[in-house]
Amino acid sequence: MEFEKEHIVKMNGFTLHMLQTEKYKTNTIVWKMKAPLQKETATLRALLPLVMQSSTKKYSTTGALRSYLDEFYGASFYADTSKKGEENIISFTLEIANEKYLQDKTPLLHKGVEFLTEVLLHPNVTNDQFDDKTMKKEKRGLKERIHSLYDDKMRYATVRLVEEMCKNEPYSIQPTGELNEIDGITGEQLYEYYQQALNEDQIDLYIIGDIQLSEVQNLFSVLSLSDRVMKQKNRPAKKDIEEINVVKEHQDLNQGKLNIGCRTNILLGDQEYYALQMFNGIFGGFAHSKLFINVREKESLAYYAASRIESHKGLLMIMSGIENQNYDKAVSIIKEQLEMMRLGEFTDKEIEQTKAVIKNELLETLDSPKGFIEVLYNNYIGDKNITLANWLERIQAVSKEEIIEVAKKIEMDTIYFLAGTEGE
C-alpha cells in the first residue's frame, strides 16, 4: 500500500509540512500553534483565534473578511483551540479549490497564502490593542461555547471525569478556558499574548493537495517569524493509584452518565501503543467490542457503551449512558469485561476483526485532507517518525499475548457518575 510522502522543511520560525497528492480537488492549509497547557493562558488561547479569524487590519469587519473569502469559490476558513495530552493547540484551517480543476485560472493558492498571512501577521489592532467591537462579539461567542458544554451532558460528563481524575495535572485544564475570566481580558492584554504566542509557540504549517513543492515553499517564505528554542517534550508524570476515586453528581436529566477513567501510561510511539489500540478495539472502541455487546446489547444496561484512548496522555476513557438504578450492575459488568481482557478471554476472530476495523478507520480518516493532516500532526508532536504504512504493519503484527500484557497494565483511576434526580 502506497502513501504520499510528507516533505518537511524548516522555515524561518516554523516548520512546513507538504503533501503532494492528486487525491483531492482542493488545497488544505492548516496552521498549528502549540504551547504547554496552562491555567494562566488557557482563556487567552481560547479567545485569541476567534478574534483573529473574525477580522484583520485589511478586512476590518467579519462581513468584509467573509465577502473576500466568497471570491475563493466556496473556500472555508475557521479556527479553534484543542488539547493533545498536556499541550494546548491553536489551529487555523483554510480549504480552497485547486485552480487546476477550474476553468478560471485565478491563482487561488497564491491568494490563499496572502489571506492567511493577513490573518496571522496583520490582525485588527490599533494602538497595540485588538479592535473593541471584535473583542465584545467574540467574547459572547466564547461564553456561548462554554455554556453549550454544560448543556451537552455527554461532553460535560467527560470533562468532569477528567477534572476529577487529573486534579493538579495540566490535562485537567479545558482548552475553552474559564467563563469567569473572559470579561476581564482587555484588547491590550490579548494583543500582548498574541505577540508572545507568535514568538514562542512551536508552529507547524501543513499543506496538502495537488501542489508543486518548490512553488509552495517559495509562497510561504513571506511568513518569516523569529527563531525560537523548542522546549523538550516531557512525558506526563506517572500517578500512583491507591484506591479508585468515586465521584457522584446529580442534575435534572433523564439518563445518567457513567464515565470511568483508567491509566494506561502508554503514549503514541511507545512499543506497546499498537497493542493498546488493539486492546481498545476489542474492549470498547467499536460496535463488535465487549462493552457494546455485553453492557448495551446482552444486559440492556446502557443506551451507549464505548471506550477511547488518549494517545498523548496515557489514558483510557469509558463512557456509558444508564438509568440511575443500574449503576452498581453497570460498574460491575465493566470491571468484569476488563478482567476478561486481562485473562485473555477474547478470540482470534475478535483480534482479526479489530485489525480490519482499525485499518479501515485509518484509511477512512486519510480520505479527508483534514483527517490526513491530523494523523500526521499527532505523529509529529508525539516525537515519533512512524510512517502510515509502518503503522498498519505494526497493528497487523500485534499478538494476543501483547494485548493481554497491555490489559494487565491498565489501572482504573476514577469513576464519575452524573445521575438524574429521578428516583432520589
Side-chain angles (χ1 to χ4, degrees):
M1 187 175 299
E2 291 297 318
F3 292 103
E4 288 81 4
K5 188 175 189 300
E6 180 184 7
H7 297 268
I8 302 175
V9 181
K10 292 291 182 188
M11 305 289 279
N12 291 327
F14 67 97
T15 304
L16 177 61
H17 306 251
M18 299 176 285
L19 268 103
Q20 198 284 325
T21 175
E22 296 178 2
K23 187 186 292 187
Y24 315 115
K25 298 292 186 284
T26 58
N27 290 323
T28 300
I29 306 170
V30 183
W31 174 269
K32 288 186 173 287
M33 303 173 66
K34 178 171 76 72
L37 194 55
Q38 295 173 333
K39 191 177 185 310
E40 303 77 42
T41 59
T43 311
L44 289 165
R45 290 182 74 84
L47 183 60
L48 180 61
L50 301 180
V51 170
M52 288 173 68
Q53 73 163 350
S54 187
S55 64
T56 70
K57 183 61 78 177
K58 187 174 182 180
Y59 310 107
S60 59
T61 66
T62 303
L65 185 144
R66 292 292 157 184
S67 291
Y68 180 68
L69 269 180
D70 287 343
E71 297 175 20
F72 289 10
Y73 295 89
S76 69
F77 175 65
Y78 52 92
D80 64 21
T81 312
S82 61
K83 67 178 176 181
K84 290 185 184 295
E86 295 178 346
E87 306 284 355
N88 185 306
I89 317 289
I90 293 174
S91 302
F92 293 89
T93 301
L94 176 65
E95 294 179 278
I96 51 175
N98 190 323
E99 60 262 29
K100 287 185 179 183
Y101 303 103
L102 299 173
Q103 288 185 329
D104 180 0
K105 296 305 177 188
T106 303
L108 292 179
L109 180 58
H110 184 82
K111 282 181 167 291
V113 173
E114 282 183 345
F115 172 77
L116 193 62
T117 303
E118 173 71 17
V119 170
L120 298 171
L121 302 186
H122 305 289
N124 192 4
V125 169
T126 306
N127 298 326
D128 292 338
Q129 55 186 5
F130 277 101
D131 176 67
D132 192 50
K133 276 187 181 176
T134 305
M135 287 284 292
K136 285 176 180 172
K137 178 166 75 77
E138 297 307 331
K139 281 182 178 183
R140 284 196 302 271
L142 182 55
K143 287 177 185 178
E144 286 168 12
R145 286 187 184 199
I146 295 174
H147 281 303
S148 73
L149 173 69
Y150 184 84
D151 295 335
D152 181 341
K153 297 307 177 188
M154 283 177 70
R155 284 175 60 213
Y156 175 80
T158 301
V159 167
R160 287 289 296 116
L161 169 66
V162 168
E163 287 176 346
E164 293 292 340
M165 178 167 64
C166 301
K167 269 181 186 170
N168 306 316
E169 298 174 53
Y171 192 70
S172 65
I173 300 163
Q174 287 310 303
T176 45
E178 296 291 331
L179 191 64
N180 61 3
E181 293 178 3
I182 296 172
D183 284 335
I185 297 174
T186 64
E188 186 178 16
Q189 183 186 5
L190 191 64
Y191 180 61
E192 190 178 310
Y193 185 73
Y194 155 80
Q195 292 176 302
Q196 179 186 326
L198 209 59
N199 285 314
E200 296 179 6
D201 280 16
Q202 176 182 317
I203 298 177
D204 293 276
L205 178 56
Y206 286 80
I207 177 164
I208 182 168
D210 192 358
I211 53 175
Q212 295 297 321
L213 302 181
S214 56
E215 178 195 10
V216 167
Q217 194 172 334
N218 186 50
L219 282 174
F220 283 115
S221 63
V222 299
L223 277 166
S224 184
L225 304 176
S226 60
D227 285 335
R228 63 214 56 216
V229 178
M230 288 301 103
K231 299 176 181 69
Q232 184 71 29
K233 186 186 175 196
N234 295 320
R235 194 177 180 92
K238 191 176 186 300
K239 178 184 173 185
D240 294 323
I241 301 167
E242 295 177 3
E243 61 178 335
I244 298 171
N245 180 30
V246 179
V247 179
K248 293 185 180 181
E249 189 177 330
H250 291 81
Q251 288 185 15
D252 183 15
L253 69 164
N254 297 326
Q255 182 194 108
K257 311 296 177 192
L258 172 61
N259 285 30
I260 300 175
C262 307
R263 303 273 174 169
T264 69
N265 298 306
I266 298 169
L267 306 184
L268 186 147
D270 289 353
Q271 289 282 30
E272 297 163 300
Y273 181 73
Y274 309 96
L276 176 64
Q277 276 196 299
M278 285 295 298
F279 163 87
N280 183 58
I282 297 169
F283 178 65
F286 304 121
H288 68 270
S289 302
K290 292 190 176 296
L291 291 183
F292 187 87
I293 290 170
N294 293 294
V295 183
R296 184 181 183 275
E297 299 287 304
K298 282 186 183 174
E299 297 289 340
S300 298
L301 281 177
Y303 299 94
Y304 62 90
S307 67
R308 65 175 178 83
I309 49 180
E310 210 300 338
S311 305
H312 298 280
K313 174 64 177 168
L315 305 179
L316 173 80
M317 307 293 198
I318 301 164
M319 300 81 65
S320 63
I322 64 171
E323 300 292 343
N324 282 9
Q325 65 270 20
N326 290 334
Y327 169 81
D328 289 329
K329 194 171 183 184
V331 169
S332 176
I333 292 178
I334 289 168
K335 287 181 176 178
E336 281 173 19
Q337 301 311 307
L338 182 54
E339 187 58 28
M340 284 174 69
M341 293 296 297
R342 290 171 178 148
L343 295 172
E345 292 184 22
F346 49 93
T347 65
D348 289 343
K349 182 183 175 184
E350 287 174 285
I351 293 174
E352 291 312 310
Q353 196 175 1
T354 301
K355 287 179 178 179
V357 176
I358 289 174
K359 177 181 175 180
N360 289 339
E361 196 177 62
L362 178 60
L363 295 178
E364 209 172 275
T365 303
L366 303 184
D367 280 342
S368 143
K370 289 177 291 182
F372 207 145
I373 287 170
E374 211 54 37
V375 169
L376 293 172
Y377 187 62
N378 273 330
N379 184 8
Y380 187 72
I381 66 168
D383 288 337
K384 302 293 178 183
N385 185 23
I386 311 157
T387 66
L388 300 175
N390 184 239
W391 194 312
L392 292 177
E393 286 168 12
R394 298 287 290 273
I395 289 290
Q396 195 58 41
V398 171
S399 68
K400 183 170 185 173
E401 290 69 31
E402 288 173 312
I403 299 169
I404 293 168
E405 285 307 307
V406 161
K408 288 177 180 175
K409 292 183 177 181
I410 290 170
E411 296 179 279
M412 203 169 275
D413 181 310
T414 298
I415 297 172
Y416 172 81
F417 186 44
L418 178 62
T421 52
E422 213 172 277
E424 289 299 313

